[in-house]
Amino acid sequence: MPSTALPIALSALLGMSLAAGAPAHAGEPVWTSALPNARPACLSAIHVYVRPGSGEAVEYLRAEAIEDGCPSPAPADSSTPDPALPREARPVDRDLQRGAWVWRSEFWQQDPEAFIASALTQGLDHVFISVPIVEGEVEAAPALERLIATAHARGIRVSAVEGDPEMVTAAGLQFAQNRALALRQYNLDHAEMPLDGLQYDIEPYLLPDYALAPEEMLEQWAQSVIALGETYGANVDIVIPFWLPLVPGGPEALAAVRERAARLTVMAYRTAPASILTAAQPALAWGEAHDLPVVIALETGPLEDEYLQVYRPAPSGQLQISRSGPVQEVHLLADAVSGTIAEPAFRYSHTVTAPASRVSFGGDLPALYRALDEVEPGLNGYDSYAGVAIHGLVQLADPALIRNER
C-alpha cells in the first residue's frame, strides 16, 4: 500500500491518543492497509510502521502480521531444505563476488578510469550500472565500451541493471523489452567487449495492486522475467526480497524463473551479522536446492528511522482485521471497537523505534566490511553462496577509510 500522511498529533506516534486523527465520519478508518496471507487465529501481534510527517502529522507506512501462534505451514516446495536447519560455518577460502550498484550513469560516463579506480579502492570486482538508452539505442556507446575495456583490464565485470515495478504490466514489459533489445544489439555490435550480464530489479510488491492479488502478481513477475531473458538472449541476474521464498506464490515464481536465472541477488538489508544471516538463509537454501548461485545484497544508502507500533489481540481495540472480497485488510480506528471471530480486534501495546541503522550501514563501509567478516563464514556454509553486492558505490573513496580500519 502507498504511504498515507494523516493529521495526527506526534503523541499518537508514541502511542498516545488517536482521537486527534478522527475522520470526518465516525466509524470510518483513520488508515487502512492490506494484510495479505495472514492467518488471524495465529497472530500474536500486528506491527504498524509509521514515521513523522510534516508538522505534527505522522505517516502510516505499512502493516506486518506477526504469526507465532500456530505451527509454520509446510513449505510449498518440499524440495527446498528447511532454512532453519543449521549449516556449519566454513572459512572463506574461495573467490566470492564483491559487487555494487551504480544507478547514476554520469558516474561512469564522465571518467571511466576514475570510476574503475574507485571500484578497485573499495575491493569490488563487479559493478552493476544504469545504461542510458535513447530511441532504441545505447547512448554514449563509446564511453560504455571504454568503461568495459578499462574494467576488464583490471579484473572487474560490468553488468547492466534495469528495474521498475511497472515491468510486470503489459506496457511496462514492452518498454523493458525494447531496452533489452538495445542492450542485446550493443553486445552484438561490440562482440569483443560486451556487457558481462543483465540484472533485473523489478520489485512488483511496491505497486498498490500487489496487496490485492500478491500471488497473481508474483506470477506476472515470473512471466516478465522469462520474457526479458528471452528478449535479451541470455539468462539474467534476478534481484529478490529476502522473504520471497517464504510467502505464498514465492517458491512457485522462483521455480518458474529458474531456467532463465543466471543467479539470485537477495536484498538481505540488515546490519547485525546474525540478522543478515537469518534474512539470507531462505534464499540460500532455495539456491542450494536448485543449483543456483546466490549473492547477498547489503544496503549503505541514507534511510530514515521508522517507528513500530505494536498491537496485541484483545476483546476490543483500535485495530481490526476485516475482509472485503478477496482482500484481507487491517483498519486503524480513532476509537476502540469490539472484535469478533470474523473480524478480530487488536489493542495498542507500545511503540519502539525501528532505526535505519538496523537496515542500512549509512555509507559506513568499514562497518559493513566488519559485519561481513563476522557473518560470511555462516553464509559460506551454503554451497549456493556466491558473494555480496553493495547498494550504493561510494565515489573516489579513501582506501584508508575502507580497508585499513577493519
Side-chain angles (χ1 to χ4, degrees), residues 11 16 71 78 81 86-87 99 123 189 191 216 241 335 367 383:
S11 60
M16 302 298 285
S78 59
R87 298 287 198 281
D189 294 340
E216 288 82 352
D335 300 310
D383 292 337

Side-chain angles (χ1 to χ4, degrees), residues 275-355:
S275 298
I276 294 170
L277 182 59
T278 298
Q281 282 174 327
L284 287 168
W286 193 93
E288 193 174 61
H290 296 84
D291 193 26
L292 191 66
V294 176
V295 169
I296 303 306
L298 301 175
E299 175 67 78
T300 66
L303 299 175
E304 295 181 10
D305 288 348
E306 297 176 347
Y307 297 88
L308 189 157
Q309 295 179 339
V310 180
Y311 292 82
R312 303 286 189 190
S316 65
Q318 301 95 341
L319 210 66
Q320 187 172 34
I321 291 178
S322 70
R323 181 175 291 276
S324 176
V327 183
Q328 184 169 262
E329 297 176 328
V330 61
H331 301 296
L332 181 63
L333 305 160
D335 300 310
V337 297
S338 297
T340 66
I341 294 177
E343 297 186 339
F346 294 76
R347 179 176 296 166
Y348 172 80
S349 173
H350 60 284
T351 295
V352 296
T353 302

